[in-house]
Amino acid sequence: MCTTAADAARGQSWAGSPGWAPEPLGPDQLRSPAGLAKAVCVLLGAAAVADVLSIAAEIHSRMLLADGLDDGFLAVDDHELTLADNMTGTAGVLQLLTFVATAVVFLVWLHRVRRNAEVFDPSAHTLRPGWAIGGWFVPVGNLWLPYRVMSGVWSASAPLDGLGHRSFVPRGLLNAWWAALVADQLVSRGVTRYYANAETGDEMVRGLDMLAATDALDLGAAVLAILVVRRVTAMQSRRAELGAFPAVPRPLQAH
């Protein structure tokens, strides 16, 4: 009972008591991801806004070029075309800036929740905490290594039942986010290359259509990422408030 009370007290401190330093539990130390989660969600929202602006600029350029096509020949006012190009370029710069800022803060958040997850349930992981950052920079491997890290965090952060066993949390949201992210990365490379090599007016119009569709996919991935960050942070905060960690291994079932 004393141990349970002490764990609960640590959980209450997690909720916002300043100056709280958790006791080391194994090699890791619990730290609240709530502040980082808020920052990540704000930056993801900014990235989503940049995607919307990019889609609008691409649609404007597409309509301008399509209206100027006449039997395969392109006749567009140079001033209007330059303005449209500047709008598209500015939106692209905003996308790049928000992407870099979001990526940095997201990796810090992911590393923190991964270390917390080690405390909640060390058996849920197949990769060390460092892979929460390193996995994103492995060529080809970054298509599944970060997902393995997130999968372990998702499982370890799941609520506990009355016996202290880790419960199952459906992974539909996690899987949808990762599928959208991978699809966006794979499609965007080919689409960007196609548009850069476009020579005719028809090819440029088609390329702008594909760029707008890719940005829409990126927008969807950003929205799903916000939901994932909020869900994981909420699960870890709840686990810390209850104070029952690490999870109790389930007994082997007799066959």
Side-chain angles (χ1 to χ4, degrees):
M1 292 179 62
C2 293
T3 301
T4 303
D7 289 341
R10 283 197 294 268
Q12 292 173 358
S13 299
W14 172 292
S17 176
W20 172 66
E23 299 176 7
L25 298 174
D28 299 313
Q29 190 177 50
L30 281 178
R31 296 180 63 191
S32 173
L36 285 171
K38 292 179 181 178
V40 172
C41 290
V42 169
L43 289 171
L44 283 169
V49 172
D51 287 332
V52 172
L53 294 176
S54 181
I55 293 172
E58 288 155 357
I59 292 176
H60 173 72
S61 297
R62 191 262 185 216
M63 295 176 63
L64 183 65
L65 292 176
D67 291 341
L69 284 176
D70 184 12
D71 293 332
F73 293 95
L74 185 62
V76 181
D77 181 77
D78 289 340
H79 176 72
E80 291 184 355
L81 185 59
T82 300
L83 180 61
D85 287 339
N86 290 339
M87 291 174 58
T88 303
T90 301
V93 171
L94 289 175
Q95 284 181 303
L96 178 60
L97 293 176
T98 54
F99 169 78
V100 172
T102 303
V104 171
V105 181
F106 177 83
L107 289 179
V108 177
W109 170 85
L110 180 56
H111 189 260
R112 177 167 297 185
V113 295
R114 170 60 184 85
R115 291 179 64 88
N116 288 342
E118 188 81 13
V119 177
F120 294 142
D121 191 347
S123 66
H125 312 284
T126 58
L127 296 173
R128 293 181 179 274
W131 284 102
I133 296 177
W136 296 88
F137 300 97
V138 178
V140 182
N142 56 17
L143 296 178
W144 70 84
L145 290 175
Y147 176 79
R148 287 179 59 184
V149 174
M150 282 296 300
S151 179
V153 171
W154 189 273
S155 297
S157 305
L160 301 179
D161 60 22
L163 300 177
H165 300 146
R166 172 163 41 92
S167 60
F168 173 76
V169 178
R171 301 189 178 200
L173 175 60
L174 179 64
N175 293 337
W177 164 67
W178 189 250
L181 184 63
V182 171
D184 177 45
Q185 295 303 311
L186 294 178
V187 172
S188 63
R189 297 174 187 177
V191 170
T192 302
R193 189 180 303 111
Y194 177 89
Y195 182 72
N197 296 330
E199 297 180 354
T200 67
D202 287 329
E203 290 177 345
M204 294 175 66
V205 169
R206 193 177 303 113
L208 286 168
D209 286 338
M210 292 189 293
L211 284 174
T214 301
D215 285 336
L217 183 60
D218 189 65
L219 173 61
V223 173
L224 290 171
I226 291 175
L227 298 177
V228 169
V229 169
R230 289 172 58 88
R231 176 71 65 83
V232 171
T233 301
M235 288 195 298
Q236 290 206 347
S237 297
R238 182 57 177 165
R239 283 289 301 273
E241 289 172 0
L242 295 177
F245 42 80
V248 178
R250 289 185 178 276
L252 297 177
Q253 301 293 331
H255 295 281

